[in-house]
Amino acid sequence: MIRRATVDDIEAIEAADRVCFPFDKPYLFAWEKNASWVAHDKDELVGYLSAHPLKHNVWFFSRVGVMPSHRGQGLQRKLMACMEKHGRREGWREIVTYTVGRNGFSTANILACGYRTYEPRKSYVGWECVHLRKKLR
């Protein structure tokens, strides 16, 4: 089951983030601005996705994590579909994101969801990353 995340989900998301990204610094979820989703299998959080606004009707898909036990089942794509459906309803024009070069599985998932690579005028994370975007309108 996938649903919008609430403040009550913060602790579980942060715990999952440490498992999904053990070598990254902890991701700070800005709940006042973010649009986030969580996926559960029974009572266990097995995936999450978060996005936040960059500028008028352009959102940055900032983090998606799928627990190791649930990888390879299309959950990242399902979470992204929920975000995109919400974005269309809310009038988002575009979603941008990035992946690191060594994360080929995530890059393949994002490309399969219709995102395209692009070169921004200014990189918001560094040029060693793959920048991607998808127009929603």
Side-chain angles (χ1 to χ4, degrees):
M1 175 185 82
I2 297 175
R3 63 169 173 78
R4 284 291 301 271
T6 68
V7 173
D8 294 336
D9 295 310
I10 292 174
E11 191 174 311
I13 292 172
E14 289 175 344
D17 195 65
R18 288 189 294 276
V19 172
C20 293
F21 301 97
F23 303 109
D24 286 5
K25 63 182 178 181
Y27 181 73
L28 300 175
F29 292 89
W31 289 97
E32 306 79 39
K33 297 179 182 180
N34 284 16
S36 301
W37 290 263
V38 291
H40 284 87
D41 183 4
K42 299 178 178 74
D43 291 332
E44 177 188 7
L45 186 136
V46 295
Y48 59 94
L49 180 146
S50 190
H52 64 266
L54 282 181
K55 56 185 177 180
H56 185 67
N57 292 329
V58 176
W59 282 65
F60 177 62
F61 155 34
S62 52
R63 191 74 144 191
V64 61
V66 176
M67 297 298 279
S69 61
H70 284 71
R71 290 180 184 160
Q73 300 174 29
L75 190 50
Q76 178 179 349
R77 293 181 190 190
K78 290 174 186 172
L79 285 160
M80 291 171 60
C82 289
M83 171 188 62
E84 292 166 16
K85 182 177 179 181
H86 172 82
R88 284 185 183 91
R89 276 195 319 264
E90 294 295 315
W92 299 2
R93 181 173 45 89
E94 183 176 35
I95 299 171
V96 298
T97 192
Y98 74 92
T99 61
V100 294
R102 68 183 180 277
N103 194 347
F105 290 111
S106 187
T107 303
N109 280 334
I110 295 168
L111 288 168
C113 288
Y115 288 71
R116 297 294 171 244
T117 59
Y118 77 106
E119 192 170 313
R121 281 185 259 169
K122 180 179 179 184
S123 175
Y124 38 90
V125 292
W127 293 109
E128 70 282 356
C129 295
V130 179
H131 295 82
L132 303 119
R133 68 178 172 197
K134 183 175 185 175
K135 303 231 184 246
L136 296 182
R137 298 189 209 168

